[in-house]
Amino acid sequence: MMANILMKHILPGLCLVVLATNSSSDQQATSVTQTQTEAAQMAIMELAGALQKELKASMQAGGPVAAIGLCNTRAIPITQEVATDHGLSLRRVSLKNRNPANRPNDWQVAVLKGFEQQKSTGKDIGTLAWSETVSIDGEREFRFMKAIPTQAVCLNCHGTDISPEVSEVLAIVYPQDRATGYIEGDIRGAFVATRRLSN
């Protein structure tokens, strides 16, 4: 008799409580992810704008050779400045990195390969983005990546037909350079934003 009462009246109520709790947790997780994604996108937009502004000025002042100097001396400090302003970690990574500091780690390699696969199916590179939240040493970490398309201006230093002068400077400044052979519309790499979250 008691078992029947439990089955008919109490257990369904408990199930509803569990479902409501899970739904609330899912909504909170979705809200956190959306907030963190928006913050990461904003930081990346600011970083991309700052890098493009300085690159344009360097190209106008001294052409591709001057742009190489800018990338070598200013790209990482600019990235760190924007990251500090937004309270997160920012990087640029590539499967064919120029600077060894931009070499991707394992999960970033997996995302970059995923971007390449999506591009091969016709996906617009400008829309390629990815995010996840993982647990590391008892702490949660939000991760976001956005693909970087190869534009026409990039080909001066990253393309298939680079001038001898540019090639010579690249060999001196980046002896381990792997970031050539691109054509317009290729994925040149990705912006990476990460943030440790309070539990």
Side-chain angles (χ1 to χ4, degrees):
M1 182 73 173
M2 182 60 72
N4 287 339
I5 292 172
L6 186 64
M7 292 293 291
K8 285 183 178 181
H9 301 288
I10 297 176
L11 285 181
L14 288 175
C15 289
L16 287 174
V17 170
V18 170
L19 287 172
T21 302
N22 287 342
S23 177
S24 176
S25 297
D26 291 345
Q27 287 174 355
Q28 288 175 349
T30 300
S31 177
V32 168
T33 299
Q34 184 175 349
T35 300
Q36 294 300 328
T37 296
E38 289 171 358
Q41 289 173 328
M42 188 177 299
I44 287 170
M45 282 179 60
E46 184 177 327
L47 174 57
L51 291 173
Q52 287 174 1
K53 181 179 178 181
E54 294 227 14
L55 181 64
K56 183 178 179 180
S58 293
M59 288 288 287
Q60 289 174 343
V65 170
I68 294 169
L70 164 77
C71 289
N72 185 47
T73 61
R74 289 288 297 143
I76 290 179
I78 289 171
T79 301
Q80 291 172 341
E81 289 167 15
V82 175
T84 299
D85 289 345
H86 288 266
L88 43 68
S89 174
L90 283 174
R91 295 184 67 205
R92 290 178 303 148
V93 297
S94 176
L95 293 174
K96 293 168 57 178
N97 56 286
R98 171 154 288 168
N99 187 333
N102 295 335
R103 185 179 293 118
N105 61 25
D106 290 345
W107 65 264
Q108 292 161 0
V109 167
V111 175
L112 287 166
K113 287 182 177 179
F115 284 165
E116 290 289 354
Q117 185 177 10
Q118 290 179 70
K119 175 182 176 290
S120 71
T121 65
K123 267 280 192 82
D124 178 3
I125 298 172
T127 67
L128 295 180
W130 168 95
S131 68
E132 72 170 0
T133 301
V134 297
S135 180
I136 301 175
D137 299 327
E139 291 185 314
R140 291 185 305 143
E141 180 179 82
F142 173 76
R143 299 170 171 176
F144 179 83
M145 289 180 65
K146 180 163 179 53
I148 302 172
T150 302
Q151 300 176 357
V153 67
C154 304
L155 302 181
N156 291 296
C157 301
H158 293 280
T160 58
D161 188 22
I162 299 172
S163 73
E165 182 184 24
V166 170
S167 294
E168 184 179 349
V169 174
L170 285 174
I172 295 169
V173 178
Y174 297 108
Q176 300 177 53
D177 181 28
R178 302 168 60 227
T180 56
Y182 289 97
I183 61 173
E184 189 173 359
D186 280 346
I187 297 174
R188 195 161 52 82
F191 290 105
V192 180
T194 61
R195 174 181 273 137
R196 288 294 174 101
L197 305 174
S198 58
N199 290 318

